């Protein structure tokens, strides 16, 4: 019993050690450092490594990470899908795409979500599952739109358009291609621009809109960037001319196409289509040699999809010549179409077999045709509904954006309106202020002028006349002659004041009146020189400025006579486009010590000039005379 207990204890002990070891191993495995993110792209871009090696490396990295839900894992999954497809592991690739979609959804990583749907769609396209490919491209497009990645969204619209054409949704195909052109920058993505126009043209041709299709092919030709794409477009255009029974135009295009070097696909298409068109143009023409040559090229180069065209053309040619051969090529056509999962070609092959086979066999083909036709219609309906859903969401987003733009524009217009209103009020207030200020200044000047005139008249009519009467009375009495002389001097000064403030004639004779006023001071040996006064267009000067200039020059002349003892005076008048300039100079006593003392007279002169936005400058450096520079704006 004791031995047994020890054995059990030992067993428990060793079991504990084993479990501890396993846990430690697992723990150590989890602690293994994941390869540095920056080194992974270098390894995966190494061209010396095969896809098998890279796929093994990716799986190892994913295993170490235990599918951590982050962008690095999504990056690794994307690369895994790429190499799986390269190794034609398409079924595995679909499963990896689903894992990538799940993690991208959970982490809300729209960029990798869009890429995952794109890779899944591309995989289904290789598997000839056009509907699933279309649905995944559709999801990819929506996510690229969320990212505002217009270029990738445009590319996916092209992918959708090509698949919709294969699914028989021609209107949807054209709409998707037009959407693609609205998103794509054709300078950056010229290749996809070519594909979009080509898809539009194919859809138009399928709807027998041949002229529209030819125009679209010409647009595709203008965006094609290499000889292979150009050759494809020209062959498609030639086939469109053939479909509208313009065989000569078709033959002319096909014979002008330069076959790209080492491109078996284009070479076979040219040979096959040219032979078919020549036979349609001339029923006596035998195209079998060209047909067989094209068939041989396609078989040798594994161009399985293009074999359908060879089988179809050979079946048509032998239809009235050798029924057995016609049926044989029709059956080959059917098998290849099914292999390529090309539903429309399957239906065309069935049509040929129904017409060529005996009634019993024909009935079986007929049943298959009806079943497949119904199935195709359902697929088309699903594709149309899915496209309508995408279009609705796109239109909804565009409408929302347009509504937002409209609301912003309304806000901007409202802001601009109130800003304009505010600026108008500010400018209006400023204009009103300046107008009232100008009006007030003019009224003030006018009042001063009226006051001066009134005082002058009063001095002349009352004081001067009274002085004259007193002098007359005193002459009749015995009065000191000195008193009479002083009274006479006062009388003359009073008359001068009156003269200096008389009315100014500012009409058409203003220039002559100004000349006369200045010339009246040329007494007692003072010589007055006037320059340019006759060249001035006085009509262009406002009445207000005429009065001010007259009074200013009158003040200068009066000061000259009273204070300067000048022997000569010069006044020069010049006019520019915006200003009238007057230079005054006399040879009198000048300004003592270079200091100008503004008395009432000169102060009034300066105020008058400034009131009309003019300038007045005195030369204080000249001690041998008095100089002044006047400028008045027109």
């Amino acid at each position: 019993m004791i031995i047994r207990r020890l054995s059990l204890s030992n067993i428990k002990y060793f079991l504990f050690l084993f479990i501890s070891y396993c846990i430690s191993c697992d723990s150590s495995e989890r602690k293994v450092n994941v390869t540095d993110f920056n080194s992974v792209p270098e390894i995966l871009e190494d061209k010396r490594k095969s896809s098998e090696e890279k796929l093994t490396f990716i799986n190892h990295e994913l295993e170490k990470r235990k599918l951590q839900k982050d962008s690095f894992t999504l990056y690794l999954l994307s690369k895994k899908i790429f190499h799986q497809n390269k190794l034609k592991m398409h079924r595995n690739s679909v499963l990896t795409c689903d894992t990538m979609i799940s993690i991208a959804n959970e982490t809300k990583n729209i960029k990798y979500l869009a890429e995952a749907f794109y890779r899944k769609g591309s995989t289904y396209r290789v598997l000839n599952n056009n509907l699933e490919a279309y649905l995944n491209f559709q999801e990819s497009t929506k996510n690229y739109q969320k990212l505002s990645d217009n270029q990738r969204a445009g590319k996916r619209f092209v992918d959708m358009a090509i698949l919709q054409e294969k699914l028989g949704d021609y209107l949807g195909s054209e709409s998707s291609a037009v959407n693609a052109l609205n998103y794509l920058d054709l300078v950056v993505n010229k290749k996809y621009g070519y594909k979009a126009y080509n898809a539009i043209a194919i859809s138009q041709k399928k709807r027998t809109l041949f002229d529209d299709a030819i125009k679209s092919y010409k647009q595709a030709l203008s965006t094609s960037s290499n000889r292979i794409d150009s050759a494809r477009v020209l062959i498609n255009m030639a086939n469109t001319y053939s479909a509208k029974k313009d065989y000569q135009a078709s033959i002319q295009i096909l014979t002008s196409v330069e076959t790209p070097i080492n491109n078996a696909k284009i070479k076979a298409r040219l040979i096959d289509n040219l032979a078919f068109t020549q036979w349609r143009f001339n029923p006596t023409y035998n195209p079998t040699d060209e047909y067989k040559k094209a068939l041989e090229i396609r078989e040798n180069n594994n161009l399985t999809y293009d074999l359908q065209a060879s089988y179809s053309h050979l079946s048509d040619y032998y239809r009235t010549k050798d029924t057995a051969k016609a049926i044989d090529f029709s059956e080959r056509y059917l098998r290849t179409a099914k292999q390529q999962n090309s539903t429309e070609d399957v239906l065309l092959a069935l049509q040929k077999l129904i017409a060529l086979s005996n009634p019993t066999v024909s009935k079986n083909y007929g049943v298959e045709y009806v079943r497949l036709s119904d199935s195709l219609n359902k697929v088309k309906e699903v594709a149309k509904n899915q496209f309508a859903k995408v279009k609705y969401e796109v239109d909804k987003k565009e409408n929302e954006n347009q509504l937002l733009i409209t609301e912003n524009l309304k806000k901007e217009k409202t802001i601009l309106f109130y800003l304009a209103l505010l600026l108008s009020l500010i400018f209006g207030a400023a204009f009103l202020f300046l107008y009232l200020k100008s009006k007030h200044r003019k009224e003030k000047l006018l009042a001063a002028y009226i006051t001066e005139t009134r005082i002058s008249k009063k001095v002349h009519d009352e004081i001067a006349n009274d002085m004259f009467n007193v002098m007359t009375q005193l002459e009749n009495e015995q009065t000191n002659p000195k008193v009479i002389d002083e009274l006479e001097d006062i009388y003359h000064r009073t008359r001068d004041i009156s003269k200096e403030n008389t009315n100014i004639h500012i009409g058409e004779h203003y220039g002559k009146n100004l000349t006369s006023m200045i010339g009246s001071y040329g007494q007692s040996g003072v010589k007055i020189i006037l320059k340019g006064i006759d060249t001035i267009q006085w009509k262009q000067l406002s009445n207000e400025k005429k009065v001010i200039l007259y009074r200013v020059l009158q003040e200068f002349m009066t000061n000259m006579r009273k204070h300067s003892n000048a022997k000569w005076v010069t006044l020069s008048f010049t006019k520019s486009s915006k200003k009238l300039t007057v230079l005054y100079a006399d040879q009198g006593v000048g300004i003592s010590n270079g200091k100008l003392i503004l008395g009432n007279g000169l102060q009034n002169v300066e105020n008058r000039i400034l009131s009309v936005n003019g300038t007045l400058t005195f030369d204080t450096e000249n001690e041998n005379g008095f100089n002044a520079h006047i400028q008045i704006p027109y």
Side-chain angles (χ1 to χ4, degrees):
M1 291 297 293
I2 295 173
I3 295 172
R4 187 175 179 181
R5 285 177 185 173
L6 287 172
S7 299
L8 287 171
S9 298
N10 289 336
I11 290 170
K12 289 180 180 178
Y13 176 74
F14 285 116
L15 183 60
F16 172 78
L17 289 176
F18 176 76
I19 293 170
S20 299
Y21 173 78
C22 291
I23 292 171
S24 65
C25 287
D26 183 61
S27 176
S28 64
E29 177 66 16
R30 283 198 299 269
K31 290 179 182 178
V32 172
N33 290 329
V34 176
T35 306
D36 180 29
F37 178 80
N38 294 325
S39 66
V40 172
E42 294 179 11
I43 295 169
L44 295 180
E45 295 299 325
D46 189 349
K47 294 182 180 179
R48 295 170 297 179
K49 295 184 182 295
S50 65
S51 287
E52 290 89 345
E53 290 175 307
K54 291 177 182 178
L55 190 57
T56 301
F57 170 76
I58 292 169
N59 287 331
H60 179 67
E61 289 298 314
L62 289 170
E63 179 63 26
K64 285 196 297 184
R65 294 181 61 80
K66 301 298 182 185
L67 280 181
Q68 293 181 28
K69 295 173 182 178
D70 55 22
S71 58
F72 190 17
T73 297
L74 290 169
Y75 166 78
L76 290 170
L77 289 171
S78 175
K79 292 298 182 181
K80 181 176 180 178
I81 296 164
F82 174 78
H83 289 291
Q84 283 176 327
N85 283 332
K86 200 169 181 182
L87 295 169
K88 298 185 179 180
M89 302 167 61
H90 303 304
R91 299 297 175 186
N92 293 334
S93 172
V94 170
L95 296 175
T96 309
C97 286
D98 289 335
T99 302
M100 185 176 175
I101 289 168
S102 175
I103 295 175
N105 264 321
E106 197 169 340
T107 58
K108 293 181 172 54
N109 194 318
I110 300 174
K111 175 178 175 288
Y112 276 112
L113 185 62
E115 184 179 336
F117 278 119
Y118 162 64
R119 293 201 177 281
K120 191 175 179 182
S122 299
T123 305
Y124 274 122
R125 182 168 55 189
V126 174
L127 292 170
N128 293 318
N129 191 334
N130 293 330
L131 181 58
E132 284 297 327
Y134 168 78
L135 295 175
N136 280 280
F137 282 140
Q138 182 187 75
E139 291 300 319
S140 179
T141 304
K142 288 193 291 186
N143 283 287
Y144 279 127
Q145 286 174 319
K146 288 179 185 178
L147 291 169
S148 297
D149 189 340
N150 291 343
Q151 300 314 302
R152 286 190 173 88
K155 290 178 181 180
R156 299 296 78 81
F157 266 121
V158 171
D159 293 330
M160 289 166 60
I162 293 170
L163 289 168
Q164 283 173 290
E165 180 269 314
K166 290 182 178 180
L167 290 166
D169 182 12
Y170 304 126
L171 280 173
S173 175
E174 185 172 351
S175 296
S176 292
V178 170
N179 271 334
L181 292 172
N182 290 333
Y183 277 87
L184 289 169
D185 181 344
L186 297 184
V187 176
V188 178
N189 284 307
K190 202 170 183 180
K191 177 81 172 178
Y192 275 87
Y194 145 75
K195 287 184 177 181
Y197 281 121
N198 195 57
I200 291 170
I202 291 172
S203 295
Q204 289 169 334
K205 180 194 170 188
K206 294 281 189 178
R207 287 160 29 227
T208 67
L209 302 173
F210 300 126
D211 291 334
D212 290 338
I214 289 167
K215 289 179 182 177
S216 297
Y217 278 129
K218 288 179 179 178
Q219 287 178 304
L221 192 63
S222 68
T223 56
S224 62
S225 55
N226 55 63
R227 287 176 61 189
I228 294 175
D229 289 344
S230 297
R232 285 182 182 135
V233 173
L234 289 170
I235 292 170
N236 289 341
M237 192 187 302
N239 290 342
T240 306
Y241 277 112
S242 180
K244 65 180 293 192
K245 300 187 183 333
D246 189 349
Y247 301 117
Q248 288 180 310
S250 178
I251 292 168
Q252 185 178 357
I253 292 172
L254 291 171
T255 53
S256 68
V257 176
E258 295 182 16
T259 308
I261 300 172
N262 299 326
N263 193 299
K265 187 179 180 72
I266 298 295
K267 186 176 181 180
R269 280 195 72 192
L270 273 173
I271 295 169
D272 189 50
N273 289 343
L274 181 57
F276 177 78
T277 306
Q278 287 175 327
W279 172 63
R280 293 293 299 273
F281 179 59
N282 179 14
T284 62
Y285 178 78
N286 186 346
T288 54
D289 288 341
E290 288 90 340
Y291 281 163
K292 290 176 181 178
K293 184 177 180 181
L295 180 60
E296 183 182 356
I297 293 171
R298 285 166 172 166
E299 288 176 338
N300 291 338
N301 290 277
N302 295 318
L303 301 173
T304 309
Y305 185 85
D306 291 359
L307 286 173
Q308 296 174 90
S310 287
Y311 296 146
S312 177
H313 289 167
L314 283 163
S315 175
D316 289 342
Y317 177 73
Y318 285 116
R319 181 176 181 177
T320 58
K321 294 176 175 60
D322 190 332
T323 304
K325 285 186 178 181
I327 291 173
D328 177 54
F329 285 118
S330 295
E331 288 174 344
R332 294 191 201 182
Y333 182 19
L334 180 62
R335 286 195 299 271
T336 308
K338 286 182 177 180
Q339 182 184 347
Q340 293 298 312
N341 201 21
S342 179
T343 309
E344 284 210 339
D345 285 300
V346 170
L347 290 174
L348 290 172
L350 287 171
Q351 284 179 348
K352 295 179 189 297
L353 288 168
I354 290 169
L356 291 167
S357 304
N358 62 60
T360 304
V361 178
S362 178
K363 182 180 178 180
N364 293 332
Y365 285 133
V367 171
E368 186 178 0
Y369 181 89
V370 171
R371 179 187 59 78
L372 189 60
S373 180
D374 290 342
S375 175
L376 179 61
N377 288 333
K378 288 179 182 178
V379 170
K380 287 181 181 179
E381 197 62 34
V382 171
K384 286 179 182 178
N385 291 338
Q386 290 295 329
F387 173 73
K389 183 180 178 183
V390 171
K391 190 173 187 303
Y392 169 76
E393 291 176 357
V394 171
D395 291 343
K396 182 181 177 183
K397 184 179 179 182
E398 288 180 353
N399 290 336
E400 288 174 352
N401 290 338
Q402 190 60 45
L403 183 63
L404 184 62
I405 291 169
T406 303
E407 289 177 354
N408 288 336
L409 284 174
K410 285 182 180 178
K411 289 179 182 178
E412 288 176 4
K413 285 181 180 179
T414 304
I415 293 170
L416 288 173
F417 170 76
Y418 284 114
L419 183 61
L421 182 62
L422 179 62
L423 289 174
S424 298
L425 290 173
I426 292 171
F427 283 120
F431 175 78
L432 182 63
F433 172 76
L434 292 173
Y435 171 76
L436 292 176
K437 184 178 179 182
S438 175
K439 183 179 179 182
H440 176 70
R441 185 179 70 243
K442 289 179 180 179
E443 289 174 350
K444 189 175 180 181
L445 288 172
L446 180 62
Y449 174 68
I450 292 170
T451 302
E452 287 174 354
T453 304
R454 180 175 55 79
I455 293 171
S456 172
K457 189 173 185 303
K458 192 167 185 178
V459 168
H460 178 272
D461 293 343
E462 297 179 16
I463 299 175
N465 288 337
D466 290 345
M467 287 289 295
F468 183 78
N469 291 331
V470 170
M471 288 171 62
T472 303
Q473 293 175 9
L474 288 174
E475 284 180 353
N476 297 327
E477 299 177 8
Q478 295 295 323
T479 306
N480 188 343
K482 186 176 180 181
V483 173
I484 295 175
D485 289 340
E486 288 179 355
L487 285 172
E488 186 174 3
D489 180 62
I490 293 171
Y491 171 74
H492 284 298
R493 280 190 288 156
T494 305
R495 292 297 298 268
D496 286 342
I497 292 171
S498 174
K499 184 179 178 182
E500 290 167 9
N501 293 279
T502 55
N503 288 334
I504 300 170
H505 298 285
I506 54 178
E508 60 178 340
H509 299 299
Y510 172 79
K512 292 180 180 178
N513 291 333
L514 183 62
T515 302
S516 176
M517 181 273 292
I518 295 170
S520 67
Y521 289 88
Q523 300 172 359
S524 303
V526 179
K527 185 177 181 180
I528 298 174
I529 302 170
L530 291 176
K531 297 180 181 179
I533 193 169
D534 296 330
T535 64
I536 305 303
Q537 299 294 323
W538 296 109
K539 290 181 180 180
Q540 296 178 9
L541 199 65
S542 67
N543 292 339
E544 174 192 7
K545 292 174 182 177
K546 288 178 183 177
V547 171
I548 286 172
L549 180 63
Y550 190 99
R551 292 299 188 204
V552 167
L553 295 181
Q554 191 177 54
E555 181 67 27
F556 282 167
M557 297 304 294
T558 300
N559 283 341
M560 175 274 298
R561 190 174 67 180
K562 290 180 180 180
H563 307 298
S564 71
N565 298 320
K567 297 299 181 182
W568 58 263
V569 177
T570 301
L571 280 161
S572 299
F573 294 79
T574 56
K575 172 187 173 296
S576 65
S577 59
K578 296 181 180 180
K579 292 180 180 179
L580 170 66
T581 302
V582 180
L583 296 178
Y584 172 91
D586 66 39
Q587 192 182 24
V589 295
I591 300 171
S592 60
N593 301 322
K595 294 182 180 180
L596 178 66
I597 299 174
L598 294 176
N600 288 336
L602 290 180
Q603 184 66 61
N604 287 338
V605 164
E606 188 172 44
N607 289 339
R608 288 178 191 271
I609 294 296
L610 293 175
S611 70
V612 290
N613 298 320
T615 59
L616 175 62
T617 307
F618 299 104
D619 184 0
T620 59
E621 301 298 327
N622 186 6
E623 296 182 359
N624 298 319
F626 177 76
N627 295 332
H629 181 275
I630 304 168
Q631 279 193 331
I632 298 175
Y634 268 104

